[in-house]
Amino acid sequence: MTRPGLSLLAVAGCVALFLIGRPLITSAQDGPAPGELFQRGNSLYQAGDFDGALEAYSAIIDRGLESGDLHYNLGNAYFKLGRIGPAVLAYERARRAMPGDENVLANLQLARSLTADQIEALPRFWGVRVWNWWVELLPRGMLFGVVAFGYMGLMALFIWRFLSPATGRTWGRRLAPACMAVTLVFALNLAIRELGVGRSDHAVVMATETPVQSAPADDPGLQLFSIHEGTTVRIDRRSDGWLEVVLEDGKVGWLESSVVEII
């Protein structure tokens, strides 16, 4: 089911995108406002017009705006249309924005269960699990909010410390280090997520079926196996229109870059 509206996290995420330099197109000549398009998409989805809903949600993304709720609803529209590859891609993008959201995780698991390739993932090293847990501790929009409020709180404490009486300066000295530590921790988390530090690129297969080769060449004799629409792969290397990918079960091979979409 669709999300009923632009949540606070979605709005915060859009504001954050503006702050990091992505274009926000809001002039009247560009058509309906993003919020109006989002609500239109929800209404069309509820009425069973999934193509119309998909068009409305895609129009928001075409303006350079993204949020977890938007990708979630986009995934629902694709799923209803039976387009499993794009649905998995949208749910994966929603999961990155809202890593702990139960609806996103449930729908992603459902979509992946309908793919032709049922791949059993290898267990991850505990250090990798801890790192991923910390990096994905908060949704993206909330993380921007925590850092922004932490910074403003820190500035307020410094002002209070220098302008208030002795009692205020005492409390300022006590609270400022804690506020600074919290702000720095979450700012580091935000920087790691935005810069993609330690994170490999992942992609979703869009082609109905595609061969995986032992080398970056379109030679039937080099084919190792085939994978299908909706399968998620990790990208290790790139070479002239080819990608060396690793499947969740550890299998490695090359496929053409045109058959996948980066998450």
Side-chain angles (χ1 to χ4, degrees):
M1 59 185 297
T2 59
R3 299 295 171 97
L6 284 174
S7 67
L8 291 177
L9 291 183
V11 173
C14 290
V15 172
L17 290 174
F18 173 79
L19 294 177
I20 63 175
R22 296 196 179 185
L24 298 183
I25 306 173
T26 57
S27 60
Q29 66 181 9
D30 295 320
E36 182 181 342
L37 285 171
F38 190 84
Q39 295 298 339
R40 179 188 300 176
N42 291 348
S43 298
L44 291 170
Y45 181 93
Q46 296 296 339
D49 185 358
F50 305 122
D51 285 306
L54 183 62
E55 182 179 352
Y57 297 142
S58 297
I60 302 175
I61 292 179
D62 289 342
R63 297 186 180 193
L65 296 171
E66 298 181 58
S67 75
D69 285 337
L70 177 57
H71 284 301
Y72 173 77
N73 285 7
L74 192 67
N76 290 340
Y78 277 125
F79 186 85
K80 288 293 187 179
L81 292 170
R83 300 175 62 181
I84 299 302
V88 170
L89 177 65
Y91 288 141
E92 287 282 10
R93 289 173 174 170
R95 184 177 66 87
R96 286 195 173 182
M98 305 183 299
D101 190 284
E102 294 182 358
N103 290 327
V104 172
L105 296 176
N107 284 17
L108 174 59
Q109 182 178 3
L110 175 61
R112 294 186 68 176
S113 72
L114 298 178
T115 62
D117 301 317
Q118 298 300 309
I119 299 173
E120 185 175 350
L122 295 175
R124 291 183 176 182
F125 177 61
W126 68 268
V128 175
R129 295 198 301 270
V130 171
W131 173 265
N132 290 338
W133 171 83
W134 180 69
V135 171
E136 299 180 349
L137 183 61
L138 294 177
R140 188 169 181 265
M142 183 180 293
L143 190 56
F144 272 103
V146 169
V147 173
F149 279 113
Y151 178 79
M152 289 187 292
L154 190 59
M155 294 301 99
L157 283 173
F158 277 118
I159 293 173
W160 183 36
R161 176 181 175 183
F162 288 110
L163 299 182
S164 62
T167 303
R169 290 195 293 270
T170 301
W171 278 103
R173 285 195 299 269
R174 293 176 179 176
L175 293 177
C179 186
M180 181 181 294
V182 171
T183 303
L184 287 175
V185 167
F186 285 104
L188 178 61
N189 185 302
L190 178 61
I192 289 172
R193 289 179 63 168
E194 292 303 305
L195 297 175
V197 177
R199 184 179 68 194
S200 301
D201 284 338
H202 287 72
V204 177
V205 176
M206 295 290 110
T208 302
E209 182 177 2
T210 187
V212 179
Q213 308 287 96
S214 61
D218 189 14
D219 182 348
L222 298 177
Q223 181 174 339
L224 298 174
F225 53 90
S226 295
I227 54 177
H228 302 80
E229 181 181 4
T231 298
T232 302
V233 298
R234 188 185 81 222
I235 299 172
D236 270 9
R237 287 192 293 168
R238 293 172 167 85
S239 176
D240 296 328
W242 289 82
L243 303 173
E244 185 183 43
V245 300
V246 181
L247 277 63
E248 292 182 324
D249 59 3
K251 292 181 180 177
V252 181
W254 292 84
L255 50 77
E256 293 183 269
S257 59
S258 60
V259 303
V260 303
E261 286 285 344
I262 304 297
I263 297 174

